[in-house]
């Protein structure tokens, strides 16, 4: 019976390993833009299934802030980022570019592309009872 259980575990790990190959990549590390212009921040992904993709913004000395997510053609977007920030999944090129319009100096930040599973809340609170 022990031999049978070991085979189940090995198969489970193998299947899990295939799913864990999902990833995102941002090749360009530093990007510049002109004030009032537009900029596109690229992100490519690999996923065996229809992915849920996210963008986060992290300003200097801050925490990453949720911006938006997309699943296929639908998704969600934080109200702070609705006017000038947009992203759509391009399944043919497996990319998820973030477009920022009317760029301002206050947009200077690190932008992170993420693939589900990920956290969409910027904080949590623990209460000990």
């Amino acid at each position: 019976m022990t031999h049978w259980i070991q085979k189940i575990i090995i198969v489970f790990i193998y299947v899990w390993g295939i799913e864990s190959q999902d990833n995102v990549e941002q090749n360009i590390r530093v990007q510049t833009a002109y004030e009032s212009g537009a900029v596109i921040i690229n992100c490519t992904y690999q996923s065996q299934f229809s992915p849920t993709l996210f963008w986060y913004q992290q300003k200097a000395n801050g925490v990453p802030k949720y911006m938006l997510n997309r699943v296929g053609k639908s998704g969600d977007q934080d109200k702070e980022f609705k006017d000038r920030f947009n992203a759509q999944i391009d399944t043919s090129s497996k990319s998820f570019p973030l477009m920022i319009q009317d760029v301002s100096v206050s947009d200077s930040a690190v932008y992170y592309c993420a693939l589900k599973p990920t956290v969409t809340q910027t904080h949590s609170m623990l209460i000990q009872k």
Side-chain angles (χ1 to χ4, degrees):
M1 176 119 165
T2 307
H3 184 26
W4 180 79
I5 292 172
Q6 288 175 341
K7 285 184 180 180
I8 296 291
I9 292 171
I10 291 169
V11 170
F12 174 76
I13 291 170
Y14 179 72
V15 171
W16 179 81
I18 291 172
E19 291 182 2
S20 69
Q21 292 179 17
D22 292 356
N23 65 52
V24 293
E25 189 172 323
Q26 293 175 258
N27 287 329
I28 299 174
R29 299 292 178 214
V30 177
Q31 212 162 333
T32 57
Y34 292 103
E35 196 161 6
S36 301
V39 67
I40 296 173
I41 302 172
N42 288 311
C43 171
T44 57
Y45 68 90
Q46 292 295 320
S47 180
Q48 296 187 15
F49 304 100
S50 180
T52 301
L53 292 157
F54 298 82
W55 276 104
Y56 293 88
Q57 178 193 67
Q58 183 175 12
K59 296 205 174 182
N61 299 319
V63 297
K65 185 184 286 188
Y66 166 75
M67 298 173 68
L68 58 88
N69 77 60
R70 297 289 182 266
V71 181
K73 301 286 184 197
S74 64
D76 179 53
Q77 193 158 350
D78 187 274
K79 64 182 177 180
E80 179 182 346
F81 299 100
K82 280 199 186 272
D83 294 333
R84 300 181 303 111
F85 297 81
N86 191 28
Q88 298 299 325
I89 297 174
D90 183 342
T91 55
S92 62
S93 65
K94 292 200 169 196
S95 64
F96 186 51
L98 176 67
M99 166 77 85
I100 307 172
Q101 297 183 349
D102 194 21
V103 173
S104 70
V105 174
S106 65
D107 295 328
S108 295
V110 176
Y111 291 87
Y112 295 100
C113 181
L115 176 68
K116 189 176 184 178
T118 191
V119 177
T120 59
Q121 306 240 348
T122 57
H123 61 46
S124 62
M125 186 153 84
L126 297 174
I127 300 172
Q128 184 177 2
K129 292 187 177 184

